[in-house]
Amino acid sequence: SNPEIAPSASRSSINSSDTTKTLKSGSNSQQPYKIRANSVSSRERSSSNSSTQPEQQGYKAASCVATTTNTFKNTENNNDSKGSDKPTSKPQENKQTMLDYVKNDLLNIDSKHQDGSATEDIDANMEEFLRIPMKLENLMTFSLAVCVDTFLYVWTMLPLKVVWGLVCLLCTVLRPKKGIGGVMFHRRHLYALLQSLLVWFVYDRVLCPISIGKLYHWIRGQAMLKLYVLIAIVEVFDRLLCSFGQDAWDSLYWNTTRRPRHPRMLVSMIVVGVYVTIHSLFLFVHVATLSVAVNSADNALLTLLISGNFAEIKSTVFKKYNKQNLFKITTSDICERFKLALFLLLILLLNCFQGEMSKSMVFDYYSMCGIVLVAELISDWIKHSFITKFNFIKSSAYFDYVLILSGDVTGIGHEGLNLDYTHA
């Protein structure tokens, strides 16, 4: 057969069959479905007769698309004609009378709806929020014991290590490369000697020339604005130097035990010496400022010290933290609380040695110390409670911090390493 005649023949067959069956149908609503069925049947017949002709397949696709388009148009016209007969219905408004409001909302009588604001998750978060102060104080109690152990180490174990290091050095000098009875000088003995040397240098050359009485009266005679700036500077640099000092001491320890003859050893020694000098001066000023605040009859400076604690809440609470960042903040608060308790004890000893204290003076001093410590406690509770609330940190994180500090002190989890327990 001629391929050019085949499409016209199939088109005439489709049109004739569609026209005949459409006239026979009694209702206009079924016309689209008849046309679709006829087009499908004619399409099947034409595809079976001319499966090898590409042009005929193209025409079949075009006729199918045209038929489908007419079907959609007829369907829309029928829907429009049906919809025009029925009036549009408006959604019913939920009208609430004054009596319903009194029953449901005000008196809560015959209420049909449950409250959607209170959920189990909110109650669990509130329970965690109230649990934070207790968990924090458990951690603080253990950590303060670790700080006391580290502080006493400087006065007890370090002098013994220095004496033993000098004995080992003497044995090594008398019998080089052999020692006396197997006792020889090692690199770890050098680190203890350097620590004691730095402590003596800061005490004898930096702190002793400063008169605590002159510094006390100089701070007391300053204006309140200057004191506020001075307190802010001391607190900021104290935190920065604590973070820097940990790395400086670790660097000195590593260079002492690994490469004591390297030029980097001298650089580490100078850096640690400068750090210890600057940090000691800031702590000395902090002690003098706290002494003025406690012993002064005017409570203005004490108010400044307490306000600094609550100003810290503003700078830390509204930030994003994870569990590791919270651990750094917690360790910083532990050191700050230990230093505060130590400074108050030093001020009490200073007042006792300078003159006799009556019972009323002792009572006033204890009351001032109690105010400072309670303000520190409350500020820490508020800060940690809201940090954990805003960052969805569980209260069990503080128990994990206890395990970390315990491992640093006891060496559990650090087997095979020679730890410096003063850096825990």
Side-chain angles (χ1 to χ4, degrees):
S1 61
N2 190 1
E4 295 181 356
I5 301 175
S8 62
S10 62
R11 180 174 60 184
S12 62
S13 63
I14 292 172
N15 293 333
S16 61
S17 61
D18 292 343
T19 306
T20 304
K21 294 182 178 181
T22 302
L23 293 174
K24 290 181 180 181
S25 61
S27 60
N28 294 329
S29 61
Q30 298 179 355
Q31 180 180 359
Y33 303 98
K34 295 289 184 178
I35 293 174
R36 182 179 296 176
N38 293 331
S39 63
V40 172
S41 62
S42 63
R43 186 169 60 230
E44 292 177 352
R45 290 195 302 269
S46 62
S47 61
S48 63
N49 294 331
S50 57
S51 61
T52 60
Q53 298 178 1
E55 294 182 0
Q56 184 177 359
Q57 293 177 358
Y59 176 75
K60 285 189 295 181
S63 62
C64 183
V65 172
T67 305
T68 306
T69 304
N70 294 328
T71 301
F72 289 154
K73 289 182 179 180
N74 294 329
T75 304
E76 292 177 356
N77 293 330
N78 292 331
N79 293 332
D80 293 339
S81 61
K82 291 179 181 180
S84 60
D85 298 336
K86 296 180 181 180
T88 58
S89 60
K90 295 182 179 180
Q92 297 180 358
E93 296 181 356
N94 187 12
K95 296 182 179 180
Q96 185 179 15
T97 62
M98 189 63 185
L99 182 61
D100 295 335
Y101 172 76
V102 172
K103 287 182 178 181
N104 298 332
D105 296 338
L106 188 61
L107 300 179
N108 199 13
I109 299 175
D110 193 19
S111 179
K112 298 180 181 180
H113 302 285
Q114 295 181 356
D115 294 333
S117 59
T119 60
E120 185 177 359
D121 295 336
I122 295 177
D123 182 69
N125 293 333
M126 193 63 193
E127 185 178 358
E128 290 289 332
F129 181 83
L130 298 176
R131 196 181 295 170
I132 291 298
M134 182 182 64
K135 297 291 184 179
L136 178 63
E137 289 307 314
N138 292 334
L139 173 62
M140 287 290 181
T141 304
F142 173 77
S143 302
L144 289 176
V146 175
C147 292
V148 171
D149 178 71
T150 305
F151 179 74
L152 295 178
Y153 171 87
V154 179
W155 299 99
T156 56
M157 297 299 296
L158 185 59
L160 294 177
K161 285 188 174 183
V162 170
V163 173
W164 177 246
L166 293 176
V167 172
C168 294
L169 180 60
L170 181 61
C171 294
T172 305
V173 171
L174 295 177
R175 295 188 63 183
K177 298 182 180 180
K178 292 182 180 181
I180 300 176
V183 177
M184 294 183 63
F185 185 80
H186 295 281
R187 295 174 180 177
R188 60 180 179 271
H189 300 139
L190 179 60
Y191 182 70
L193 295 177
L194 292 177
Q195 280 184 311
S196 61
L197 180 63
L198 288 172
V199 171
W200 173 82
F201 174 79
V202 172
Y203 167 75
D204 188 68
R205 299 297 178 182
V206 177
L207 298 180
C208 282
I210 301 175
S211 176
I212 184 66
K214 293 181 180 179
L215 182 62
Y216 176 88
H217 290 288
W218 178 82
I219 294 175
R220 192 172 184 178
Q222 299 299 317
M224 194 57 58
L225 182 60
K226 291 183 180 180
L227 290 177
Y228 182 79
V229 175
L230 180 63
I231 292 172
I233 292 174
V234 168
E235 290 180 353
V236 169
F237 275 92
D238 183 25
R239 290 180 176 270
L240 294 177
L241 290 172
C242 283
S243 177
F244 176 77
Q246 182 69 56
D247 296 335
W249 281 108
D250 290 341
S251 177
L252 179 62
Y253 181 78
W254 191 88
N255 284 285
T256 304
T257 56
R258 299 295 191 279
R259 49 180 186 181
R261 295 181 178 87
H262 197 272
R264 186 68 179 80
M265 174 67 187
L266 181 60
V267 176
S268 298
M269 187 68 183
I270 295 174
V271 169
V272 172
V274 173
Y275 152 73
V276 172
T277 302
I278 296 175
H279 200 182
S280 300
L281 290 174
F282 275 104
L283 293 178
F284 196 76
V285 174
H286 193 183
V287 172
T289 306
L290 190 61
S291 178
V292 173
V294 171
N295 295 322
S296 179
D298 188 7
N299 294 328
L301 185 56
L302 184 63
T303 305
L304 287 179
L305 292 175
I306 296 175
S307 64
N309 294 328
F310 291 94
E312 184 182 354
I313 298 175
K314 179 182 177 182
S315 62
T316 56
V317 167
F318 302 103
K319 293 181 181 179
K320 186 175 180 60
Y321 295 101
N322 52 22
K323 196 173 179 180
Q324 289 76 16
N325 294 334
L326 181 60
F327 178 67
K328 295 179 181 179
I329 295 176
T330 305
T331 53
S332 178
D333 292 337
I334 292 168
C335 295
E336 183 179 358
R337 189 176 294 187
F338 172 74
K339 285 187 292 186
L340 182 61
L342 180 62
F343 291 167
L344 292 175
L345 179 61
L346 292 177
I347 293 170
L348 176 61
L349 295 177
L350 183 64
N351 293 334
C352 291
F353 284 112
Q354 284 183 349
E356 296 182 357
M357 295 182 65
S358 60
K359 292 183 179 180
S360 61
M361 295 175 62
V362 174
F363 179 77
D364 293 339
Y365 177 79
Y366 284 153
S367 61
M368 290 295 180
C369 293
I371 293 173
V372 173
L373 292 176
V374 168
E376 183 71 21
L377 289 174
I378 295 176
S379 64
D380 288 341
W381 292 350
I382 295 174
K383 180 174 65 176
H384 285 268
S385 297
F386 280 98
I387 286 177
T388 54
K389 174 181 171 59
F390 293 153
N391 295 278
F392 303 101
I393 300 175
K394 298 294 184 181
S395 60
S396 60
Y398 292 96
F399 182 73
D400 298 336
Y401 299 158
V402 173
L403 295 179
I404 293 173
L405 294 177
S406 301
D408 292 340
V409 174
T410 60
I412 298 176
H414 305 283
E415 289 78 5
L417 297 177
N418 187 15
L419 295 178
D420 184 7
Y421 300 107
T422 60
H423 293 180

